Each structure stands twice: as C-alpha cells, then as structure tokens.
Amino acid sequence: MRTGIVILPEHRWWFAEPKWRAAEEYGFHHAWTYDHLAWRTLVDGPWFGAVPTLTAAAMVTERIRLGTFVASPTFRHPVPFARELLALDDISDGRLTVGVGAGGGDGYDHLAMGQPAPAKRTERFAEFVELLDKLLSRDRTTYEGEHFSAVDARSYPGAVQRPRPPFLIAANGPKAMAVAARHGQGWVTSGTPDDDLDSWWRGVAELAARFTEVQHEHGRRVDRFLSLDSAPVYSLTSVETFRDAVGRAEELGFTDVVVHWPRHDGVFAGRESVLEEVAADVLPALG
C-alpha cells in the first residue's frame, strides 16, 4: 500500500515549503495539490496556481512523486497545458503524475470563467484526455474533436518519462471509468457523498467492483487510488482512524490512498501531531 498527501495551495510559499519537504521526509510516496481557481468553502481565502506550486515543490524535494489532484477541462486546454506539464516533468526529473478529472458540473471554476457547465461533460473529458495523451507522447500532434483541436502542435523535446508521465484519472461513472481503463496508469475515486461512514465504504466497494468489470473489458492493469478524506470522517482524526481506513482500502483492492494535510479549522481540520504519529508509527510498516 502506497500513501499520498494533498497540500492545498492556500499558503504563501515561505509557509508551504516546509510542508512539501516534510511530506517527503515523512515517507509519503506521492504529494498532490488541487488544480482549481478556488475551491468550495475556501473560495474567499488565499489560493495559488497548481503548476507553479508543484514546480516549486519539485525544487525542494528529490524522491517523492508530485501531481495535480486533479486537473480538468474546465479552464485547461490540452495544448498549453501539455507544455506546462512537460516543463514540470523536466524540472522534477520525471516525478510528475498527471491527475485529471472531468471537473464539477458547476462551481466556482465555471463561475469565474463566466461559462456555463458543458452539456457533454464526460465526452469533453474523454477528448481532453485523448488529446493530452497524444501531446505528451508525440513530437507533433494534429487533432480535430468536437470540443478540442490541435494543429501541428509541437511537444519537443518530450517528457522525461517515456512515453509520457502517468495519468491518474478520476472517475465514478461508467463512461469516465472507461477513459481511466483505456488511458490511465491509475484510477482514483472519492466514493459517493454520504454522511454515514459505513455507507460511504459500501459505496466505495461498489465503485471498486464496477471498475474491476470495466478494467477487465480493456485488459489493462491500472493502479487504484482512494481519496480517504471524502469520507464523512477525516482520516487523520487519529492514528487508529487512519490505520483502519488504510486497512479497509487495502481489503477492497486499492493500491494507494491519499489524505490531506491537517488544517487549523474548517475542512480537513486536524492536528499535525497526528500526522507526525502516522508518519512515525504507520507509514514505515506500509512499505
């Protein structure tokens, strides 16, 4: 079982930098940040861009994998985004994982762009992933889709990781799962919203079983990631809460779990002392 941690892009770098260094020192396998213009209850607070944040994180770490959790077509076009990802893959010396998802049906990202939510969100997402795949693995790409196009788009010198950085694809529905099974090196789910913890885990089990069926149809092995903090109980409430969540995820066939760095209040509120205990007492046993 591999473990990852999300560090929200809400702090000035002098305050955020020690967290990224610590994520590596604690023994996490991967570290992530959100790729939004702002996010939910934190919309009126400080917020910074994902790619610059990850670039800075790459400069102060050496081993830990870094990624977007997750980027979407809401305000990203694959052509310029691919250039940014190529630079990030180069600066991190091949430690980039590209987390992508369809984006919410509504919310601040759409509002800030002055755009309505697209009618064919999943189809648009499938094109986004397909074109991004081509751009990151080829020197030149021409593509004509219903939602995205590229004309002789150059990608020289290409990615450090060959044929491209791995994709972690967020999906709950069957169409998005098919995109994950076809293009992803990893699949990530946050489960379905539920106020009851056991019900949330039952929903996760149903999604895992559904993805198994989709994965078999495509005949590819895909790593499975679970965002633990979508549960109604924060995973770092206590060491035992974290240990129990990891065990349940492993029983359901997940290869990776992702938690969030504790915040002082609001969403993901918790104590950094619990994170430190998890790092000292639990992570070493997970490998």
Side-chain angles (χ1 to χ4, degrees), residues 130-195:
E130 182 180 6
L131 179 50
L132 198 60
D133 180 16
K134 295 179 186 298
L135 289 162
L136 291 173
S137 57
R138 300 179 179 182
D139 289 339
R140 293 172 181 244
T141 300
T142 295
Y143 179 93
E144 184 64 37
E146 181 181 352
H147 305 279
F148 297 104
S149 300
V151 179
D152 200 24
R154 273 78 158 179
S155 298
Y156 188 78
V160 173
Q161 302 176 85
R162 294 294 181 173
R164 59 159 170 77
F167 285 1
L168 175 65
I169 298 181
N172 277 0
K175 291 182 180 179
M177 282 186 177
V179 175
R182 187 165 57 250
H183 293 286
Q185 284 64 54
W187 163 64
V188 60
T189 181
S190 55
T192 53
D194 204 305
D195 293 331

Side-chain angles (χ1 to χ4, degrees), residues 3 5 7 17-31 57-66 92 95 261 279 283:
T3 56
I5 190 163
I7 301 170
E17 178 187 2
K19 299 179 187 295
W20 291 93
R21 291 183 185 271
E24 181 168 82
E25 294 167 359
Y26 285 161
F28 285 99
H29 296 86
H30 30 81
M59 299 298 292
V60 298
T61 56
E62 296 179 355
R63 300 175 305 279
I64 194 168
R65 294 198 64 83
L66 304 168
S92 67
R95 291 185 286 130
W261 195 283
L283 296 190

